Amino acid sequence: MSHPTIAVVGSGPIGSAYARVLLEQLPDARVVMFEAGPQLTARPGASVRNIPDPEEKARARDLSQGPQSGAFRESLGIPGSAVVEGTFTARQGTFLLDFGGEGSAHAPTFPAAAAATNVGGQGAHWTCATPAPAFSEKVPFIPAEEWDDLLATAQHLLHVQSEAFADSPIGAAIRSLLADEFGAELPDGYGVGTLPVAGDPQPDGSMVWAGADVVLGPLIEPGTPESARFELRDMSLVRRIEHADGVVTGVTVEDLRTHDTTSFPADLVVVAADAFRSPQLLWASGIRPAALGRYLTEHHVVISTIALEGERMAALVSEEQLRSELARRARHAADPIAAVNRIPFSEPEHPFSLQVMYAENPPFPLDPAHPHAGNRWGYVNMGYGVRKHPRVEDGVRFDDAELDYAGFPNMTIEYALTEREDREIAAATERLRRAGGALGTFVADPRLMPNGSSLHYMGTMRMGEADDGTSVADPHSRVWGTENLVVGGNALIPTANTMNPTLMSVALAVRGARAAAARLAAR
Ligand code: FAD
């Protein structure tokens, strides 16, 4: 087909990966990306973490919080009258789906479920941890060699590198103490190491964190051939995917500034609007495969904070090294992370992912009278990710008779941990105690975060090998029974997963985009 028009719904890392790969593969295609939220930064989709001014950063986060945007709410096209503020808020930059009041989703069993509505999506707020799936976390029906290539492409798109803070002597000491504790139990290649992150290290030791901006790359660089064929429309809510007989013809879009609604014809529609709002949009459009919204998983998180123990650290880090580390930290006060380590998932003995973030201060105010307040060696925030085994019972339902604050069929999330997860959570908690004991003293005891806290929601549009009712999309992310509707995001992941999934989802998006481009080129 010559000059195909492609509509992408959602401007997070996944919609951006689709836009980039499709435009690079199809030299005469045009992509229009629709994003319900506002553009926060001059460079579309840049990480809010890179904004140095605290007030500007807080404003960007507020603007992303959809129905919990407080003073900004009505300017974001959300009627103030339809919304009551919830009793607690989500992580900054996100809003709870179940925020309380009229128009709120219902998620009593998954209360921390949250989303972001802004250019760049959650990818403007993420921590940038980009581990790759391992063992049974991988999609079993994607050939190993192709998977390696997809991962390498995704790492390139996200600017992933493994050497962030690798020269931090404190980071190295933490790795050494954890290796003493766990090394003998872990298989080769899956021991204690640095955590890959997405961003660009700067000569002064700081990081410029990656957002959807780096994925878009040439699409947002003035003067490039790709930028001439790319358009990003913010504050544009896609209300419906238009289709007949399995063929999608375009989308209906509401401009949230004017509330005008228009039709946008397209030869391909890509929906990458997160793991709850993508299936909601499909449902609202009358596209309702049996598995839509079902098989919801996340990885559960058991976390704690530890004050690093001076004596143990001093045996591995000289006074001079500590002083230079503290001086480096003082130069980058806006960014609290100073080193990132991990123990990855491996089977059968270690079906967990441990992440260890070193920071100068604990993530909560510590009473100055606390014996470990003001610890000169700093603190680590550590969390074990624990998998959730997919079950059809866990998921989100949509109610045509009750509309949410945006006028979509409202969501109710149903979710429960089983004995299988309880056992693995108990084992992870035990390991967290050992890890904490190896590094210092707990200033916050290990605790299981409420369901939904991971912000990594998977499975609700899972891919499968056959159209047998247990999946929504084929192995190339095309919705079963449709010719030209592709879905993207963590929702596609069909496996039980313990790690941050964005890299994996970008890899799946690259696969989906290549296949869609080949289909369009052949028409
Ligand atoms: P999103 O980034 O959620 O983007 C979806 C976009 O679609 C949103 O902007 C939304 O407004 C838009 N949209 C929804 N409905 C419509 C509609 N009808 N019309 C138009 N637009 C619509 N992941 C990791 O892998 N590692 C991490 O370290 C990590 N840390 C995180 C920390 C935080 C604080 C948060 C919030 C997330 C974190 N994540 C992390 C998760 C990561 O950000 C997501 O996996 C990733 O952003 C998903 O990309 P996406 O493009 O699928 O969806």
Side-chain angles (χ1 to χ4, degrees):
M1 172 182 281
S2 65
H3 302 289
T5 297
I6 298 160
V8 174
V9 187
S11 66
I14 306 307
S16 300
Y18 266 100
R20 168 107 175 244
V21 175
L22 284 162
L23 282 178
E24 286 181 345
Q25 301 249 320
L26 297 168
D28 62 354
R30 167 180 175 235
V31 169
V32 177
M33 177 179 271
F34 298 98
E35 167 53 55
Q39 184 167 324
L40 306 172
T41 48
R43 194 176 151 79
S47 171
V48 164
R49 290 167 71 194
N50 299 329
I51 301 175
D53 177 50
E55 265 179 43
E56 215 184 299
K57 192 183 280 190
R59 181 174 179 276
R61 287 174 168 160
D62 275 2
L63 277 168
S64 310
Q65 293 174 185
Q68 291 192 304
S69 297
F72 294 114
R73 204 167 52 214
E74 290 191 49
S75 67
L76 295 171
I78 300 163
S81 57
V83 175
V84 177
E85 284 297 313
T87 48
F88 73 108
T89 49
R91 298 249 298 264
Q92 286 178 330
T94 67
F95 60 94
L96 295 173
L97 299 182
D98 191 349
F99 52 81
E102 202 186 328
S104 161
H106 311 291
T109 55
F110 208 71
T117 302
N118 53 273
V119 170
Q122 290 193 38
H125 308 283
W126 70 321
T127 314
C128 298
T130 40
F135 298 84
S136 63
E137 291 181 320
K138 294 185 190 176
V139 178
F141 46 82
I142 297 182
E145 227 171 77
E146 185 190 351
W147 182 246
D148 291 344
D149 172 58
L150 293 170
L151 263 190
T153 307
Q155 284 162 338
H156 168 73
L157 287 175
L158 283 166
H159 292 203
V160 171
Q161 44 77 45
S162 296
E163 295 306 308
F165 313 115
D167 57 352
S168 157
I170 296 192
I174 292 169
R175 286 195 294 281
S176 165
L177 292 172
L178 289 174
D180 288 348
E181 178 67 28
F182 294 109
E185 301 165 24
L186 299 167
D188 280 354
Y190 294 88
V192 182
T194 53
L195 177 69
V197 290
D200 297 303
Q202 301 301 297
D204 65 358
S206 66
M207 285 287 287
V208 173
W209 298 104
D213 60 330
V214 306
V215 181
L216 290 168
L219 279 56
I220 53 167
E221 296 302 337
T224 63
E226 291 88 356
S227 68
R229 295 182 286 121
F230 176 66
E231 191 187 333
L232 167 59
R233 297 187 191 167
D234 77 344
M235 298 285 287
S236 296
L237 178 69
V238 173
R239 290 226 157 261
R240 197 179 154 82
I241 303 156
E242 302 300 341
H243 59 99
D245 303 325
V247 178
V248 162
T249 52
V251 290
T252 299
V253 188
E254 179 182 346
D255 179 331
L256 292 174
R257 291 188 176 93
T258 61
H259 295 291
D260 289 344
T261 296
T262 49
S263 296
F264 182 85
D267 302 297
L268 171 71
V269 172
V270 178
V271 178
D274 84 34
F276 292 108
R277 287 178 290 179
S278 296
Q280 185 186 41
L281 178 60
L282 265 62
W283 179 275
S285 308
I287 301 165
R288 301 179 173 184
L292 190 71
R294 311 315 304 168
Y295 300 98
L296 170 65
T297 66
E298 65 164 337
H299 59 75
H300 296 280
V301 193
V302 189
I303 62 159
S304 66
T305 304
I306 286 105
L308 290 169
E309 206 225 80
E311 211 171 294
R312 259 174 271 173
M313 295 301 290
L316 297 162
V317 180
S318 70
E319 181 59 30
E320 198 192 323
Q321 284 174 316
L322 173 61
R323 265 202 234 111
S324 84
E325 178 95 53
L326 292 176
R328 177 171 74 93
R329 299 301 314 136
R331 284 199 302 274
H332 306 294
D335 189 353
I337 303 297
V340 285
N341 291 313
R342 64 148 175 184
I343 302 177
F345 179 93
S346 60
E347 280 176 315
E349 269 89 20
H350 194 267
F352 314 105
S353 291
L354 171 65
Q355 283 185 12
V356 185
M357 311 299 226
Y358 159 62
E360 220 170 291
N361 296 302
F364 49 83
L366 196 58
D367 183 344
H370 190 286
H372 294 286
N375 184 28
R376 195 161 166 260
W377 287 94
Y379 303 83
V380 292
N381 298 308
M382 288 201 296
Y384 270 95
V386 184
R387 63 190 160 179
K388 171 81 171 89
H389 299 273
R391 299 184 314 157
V392 69
E393 295 90 329
D394 300 308
V396 54
R397 291 195 190 283
F398 306 103
D399 184 351
D400 293 317
E402 185 202 341
L403 301 186
D404 71 6
Y405 70 92
F408 284 94
N410 205 358
M411 304 189 231
T412 297
I413 303 176
E414 301 152 331
Y415 192 86
L417 296 177
T418 67
E419 203 216 323
R420 211 169 166 192
E421 282 94 35
D422 288 342
R423 245 193 340 261
E424 291 189 344
I425 287 167
T429 308
E430 187 50 43
R431 278 184 165 78
L432 191 55
R433 287 194 190 285
R434 281 176 59 196
L439 295 175
T441 310
F442 286 98
V443 294
D445 274 338
R447 66 193 184 284
L448 177 65
M449 299 291 282
N451 292 343
S453 300
S454 71
L455 298 164
H456 304 150
Y457 314 128
M458 299 170 273
T460 51
M461 298 190 298
R462 67 207 302 250
M463 56 167 57
E465 259 187 308
D467 185 9
D468 59 3
T470 66
S471 57
V472 167
D474 73 12
H476 293 94
S477 302
R478 179 164 51 160
V479 174
W480 291 116
T482 72
E483 206 168 277
N484 51 350
L485 175 60
V486 168
V487 283
N490 304 331
L492 270 291
I493 296 174
T495 51
N497 223 304
T498 66
M499 45 100 216
N500 323 61
T502 308
L503 177 72
M504 180 174 187
S505 296
V506 171
L508 296 178
V510 170
R511 188 171 210 244
R514 285 177 180 167
R519 286 195 302 271
L520 283 172
R523 269 166 59 179

